[in-house]
Amino acid sequence: MIVVNLPVADLETSRAFYTGLGFRINEAFSDETTASVVLSGTIVAMLMTRERFAGFVTGEVADAHRVTQVLHALSADSREEVDTFVARALAHGGHEYRDTQEGDGMYGRAVADPDGHVWEVVHMAEPEGGWGP
């Protein structure tokens, strides 16, 4: 399982953004300072107020509007799924991070959430012979 911890300025705004994308909140692991966003059966984004997040790190909490520390990438089953994800993100307070990337069987777009955290969504055509060895 992968858990991505993200500092957020306004927890309610972030909850609305991620539920607007179609993800659910696991209330059992959420409180007034944290929201557990279920991205898949094996991936969770823990949204934490900046103050709560600061309690887990040494040093300064980065401002994702000013610096990019990581690019989170999710796979999509089709180009349409990529475009739908981006449309939902834009409708719920996100913004396009960069131009569409396309070529060599790949189609991808990237958006930033209201706190500047970047999410890439990529559809890759299955290569001849499949994904396995």
Side-chain angles (χ1 to χ4, degrees), residues 93-105:
H95 67 274
E96 289 229 38
Y97 179 73
R98 66 160 186 268
D99 293 336
T100 300
Q101 306 288 302
E102 188 169 15
D104 296 327

Side-chain angles (χ1 to χ4, degrees), residues 26-61:
N26 182 339
E27 296 297 347
F29 295 103
S30 302
D31 60 25
E32 65 279 348
T33 63
T34 306
S36 176
V37 181
V38 179
L39 303 178
S40 77
T42 58
I43 304 171
V44 173
M46 292 298 286
L47 310 177
M48 299 180 191
T49 61
R50 293 182 65 80
E51 297 78 18
R52 171 79 179 199
F53 186 89
F56 289 93
V57 300
T58 59
E60 184 179 346
V61 176

